[in-house]
Amino acid sequence: MKQTGTQSDHSRLEGLDPAGTGRVFWNLGTAALCERAVARGEARLSDSGALVVTTAQSGHEIRLALVDDEPGESGETSAQTSPDAAAPNRAGALTRPHFEALKADLLAYVGRRTLFGQDLCVEAGAGRRLSLRILSDQAWHALFIRHLLRPCAVAEGGETAPRFTVLCAPGFRPTPETHGVAAEGTLALDLANGLALIAGTARTEAIRAALAQLLDGPLTDAGVLRLEGAAATAPTGNVVLFLGAAGAGKSALAAALAKGQTGDSAPSHLADGALGWGEDGLIALENAAYARPADLAQPEHAAPGFGAVLENIALDPASRTPDLAEAANTDVSRVILAQPSTKSAQEAIFAPPAHLFLLVQDASGTLPAIARLTPAQALGSCLAGMDTVPVLAERHAARLHHLLTQHAPQGWLVNTGWIGGAAGVGQRVALEASRRLVDAAQAGELASGVWRTDPHFGFDVPAALEGVDPRLLDPAKAWPNRVDHTVAARRLAGQFAGRLARIEAALSQEAQGAQTGMVLAAE
């Protein structure tokens, strides 16, 4: 679209043919979208100018349905997203007639409403961009996605149809009999035609899951591995990649590293959220900070200023101050902070990572606060999930193995969970300790120290680091009874080995040669 802020009828929805005479506002800016969201009753305004929206009761469970023109006997098909995305790892199959019925009825529904459209792009490597169109009957959705992705520059001489389209109508309730999907929290995808339909939920996770599904195949074709994580350029010049399950601390540790732990200066080079890892290095697929309040390095200083989106975060009724501390304990709370509009596409590109930190929240209390991983151990931990949550789908194993071999980052396991006992009994690893260990690891401070091999998991653990409680590096010393620690550690190691054994058959021949080589303690 050449102009921004224009309105039109629905005839400009390429590939869609809605009924009615509704309007579409195209590519409105931040101020206009904030104004409309508040005026339409979609959001409230905080004391800093952030929009506060409530979606917690809107389709709490997001159900994924993929169009399958030739469904198998199981009636299910594998989801194409990463395990850390909002959608489940298994997706229900949706017949073509059901999807077409859903599309027709959803379009008839939005045809009587005002829509807000944004034309955006995702970087897929040097000189490669994927174009998307996001449409919703919620103005704040347009603001959220405008923060998350980059505006698409229109080619000289005309408009270009988007490669992918997402249509979101939270108020529409499908019926299983007619549409083949649940009434609430439905994400239906026609990957063959690049179309995602979202109904019965306003949660931003549904839109991000739609993007993950639509982009996964094209990114893979471009040689780019899609990940959920955070990347930062440290003061040493090292590019550091953080991976792990939601809530493990990726955002906080990456932000602290990028700031040089000064606590005041703005991060020099930071990406948080969806990342791509390709032959040339890392790519920030998203242009905004999308984080749980608990993952922010300093929630009270997160500066959710004008235009930021606060999802499911309470406001003080008098001062209109958001309660980020309380929201830190809520799974459905999100903070979306826009990046400066001057940030160039080149700033989305990082060099290959020199260090790969896999963050786990060990609920057993048996893992050390940090350990050094071989490439094989790093691959196994990504696929099997040391804390039961894998950070990568099995089908991407060969690609990850190739990137680990090509770029040779030093792998690390960081336990941000518990030490000295299981969750509820042991002590949580303090964020300050994790920061200190991560900084020492990437700066080379640990390299010259003494190391020991963990008898249960087979990875190397530093014996000591100045300023760090020794018990964090040898958890057995933190347990009241060393025998209890041994029993718990062996149980976790056995579970991990069992998950690796179950996925071994699914790995390509190349990846099968990269098993972890985990050493279990002798009986």
Side-chain angles (χ1 to χ4, degrees):
M1 301 303 165
K2 288 185 177 180
Q3 298 180 356
T4 61
T6 59
Q7 63 169 305
S8 70
D9 61 30
H10 284 159
S11 63
R12 292 178 66 188
L13 305 186
E14 287 88 345
L16 303 177
D17 184 22
T21 58
R23 298 177 301 173
V24 182
F25 284 94
W26 294 101
N27 301 316
L28 293 180
T30 297
L33 290 170
C34 287
E35 181 180 64
R36 282 169 170 78
V38 173
R40 289 159 54 92
E42 301 171 4
R44 293 173 294 163
L45 205 61
S46 76
D47 60 346
S48 64
L51 286 190
V52 181
V53 297
T54 301
T55 66
Q57 303 305 318
S58 174
H60 182 70
E61 180 183 355
I62 299 170
R63 302 171 182 87
L64 175 63
L66 297 178
V67 173
D68 188 355
D69 292 311
E70 297 179 1
E73 295 180 0
S74 67
E76 289 188 332
T77 184
S78 296
Q80 303 299 307
T81 189
S82 67
D84 198 31
N89 290 331
R90 295 293 295 178
L94 188 63
T95 66
R96 173 63 62 182
H98 272 144
F99 182 84
E100 294 301 329
L102 174 63
K103 182 172 73 170
D105 289 348
L106 191 146
L107 288 173
Y109 172 83
V110 301
R112 300 184 295 270
R113 306 175 69 85
T114 296
L115 293 181
F116 297 87
Q118 293 284 323
D119 292 309
L120 304 157
C121 286
V122 169
E123 301 292 335
R128 298 192 300 271
R129 283 188 171 186
L130 303 174
S131 60
L132 304 102
R133 173 164 292 167
I134 317 297
L135 294 132
S136 176
D137 62 4
Q138 300 285 299
W140 76 268
H141 273 167
L143 178 65
F144 150 70
I145 201 66
R146 186 179 178 86
H147 289 339
L148 199 67
L149 303 180
R150 297 177 180 279
C152 243
V154 178
E156 192 68 28
E159 298 170 357
T160 302
R163 183 170 177 180
F164 307 101
T165 301
V166 178
L167 178 59
C168 185
F172 181 77
R173 295 292 187 271
T175 60
E177 298 79 13
T178 303
H179 307 112
V181 292
E184 293 187 350
T186 287
L187 167 56
L189 290 126
D190 179 2
L191 295 178
N193 294 299
L195 178 60
L197 305 176
I198 299 173
T201 181
R203 291 176 61 195
T204 56
E205 283 183 279
I207 299 176
R208 288 190 81 242
L211 297 176
Q213 294 284 334
L214 292 173
L215 297 176
D216 185 81
L219 288 172
T220 300
D221 293 341
V224 176
L225 180 64
R226 186 190 182 281
L227 302 165
E228 287 283 338
T233 301
T236 59
N238 289 330
V239 173
V240 179
L241 174 61
F242 295 88
L243 300 177
K250 301 183 293 290
S251 301
L253 291 174
L257 192 63
K259 291 178 182 178
Q261 301 197 33
T262 64
D264 297 320
S265 60
S268 58
H269 199 182
L270 174 67
D272 188 12
L275 304 173
W277 189 357
E279 299 293 326
D280 299 328
L282 298 175
I283 308 166
L285 300 178
E286 295 175 341
N287 194 41
Y290 181 91
R292 298 166 186 259
D295 288 342
L296 295 173
Q298 295 175 298
E300 69 278 11
H301 297 138
F306 178 73
V309 177
L310 306 181
E311 185 177 5
N312 299 319
I313 293 176
L315 279 181
D316 183 281
S319 67
R320 294 297 184 95
T321 301
D323 191 345
L324 292 171
E326 176 63 27
N329 301 316
T330 306
D331 289 340
V332 294
S333 297
R334 296 292 184 275
V335 176
I336 300 98
L337 303 175
Q339 298 293 334
S341 59
T342 56
K343 192 171 184 180
S344 67
Q346 186 58 37
E347 291 179 274
I349 309 299
F350 290 75
H355 295 269
L356 169 61
F357 289 91
L358 298 176
L359 309 187
V360 301
Q361 297 180 89
D362 177 26
S364 74
T366 61
L367 291 176
I370 195 167
R372 186 171 58 191
L373 303 177
T374 66
Q377 289 170 336
L379 176 64
S381 297
C382 283
L383 296 173
M386 185 63 77
D387 60 349
T388 76
V389 182
V391 300
L392 201 67
E394 297 167 18
R395 66 192 188 86
H396 288 311
R399 185 63 188 164
L400 178 61
H401 179 227
H402 169 75
L403 292 169
L404 289 173
T405 302
Q406 179 187 23
H407 295 148
Q410 175 57 63
W412 304 90
L413 184 78
V414 177
N415 175 20
T416 61
W418 285 262
I419 293 284
V425 177
Q427 184 177 4
R428 189 73 187 263
V429 179
L431 178 59
E432 292 73 16
S434 296
R435 288 176 180 170
R436 171 76 177 105
L437 289 165
V438 165
D439 188 61
Q442 66 85 26
E445 188 177 349
L446 293 179
S448 59
V450 178
W451 296 78
R452 67 177 180 87
T453 300
D454 189 281
H456 308 291
F457 302 100
F459 41 53
D460 293 334
V461 182
L465 178 65
E466 184 179 355
V468 173
D469 186 340
R471 293 176 298 177
L472 295 179
L473 301 174
D474 189 353
K477 295 179 180 179
W479 279 62
N481 187 309
R482 184 177 285 268
V483 174
D484 291 342
H485 171 270
T486 299
V487 171
R490 286 182 172 178
R491 183 184 304 117
L492 179 62
Q495 292 170 350
F496 178 68
R499 289 194 296 272
L500 272 181
R502 286 193 296 272
I503 67 174
E504 183 177 12
L507 300 180
S508 67
Q509 191 63 38
E510 179 184 21
Q512 285 182 26
Q515 293 304 294
T516 61
M518 182 177 60
V519 179
L520 299 178
E523 295 295 328

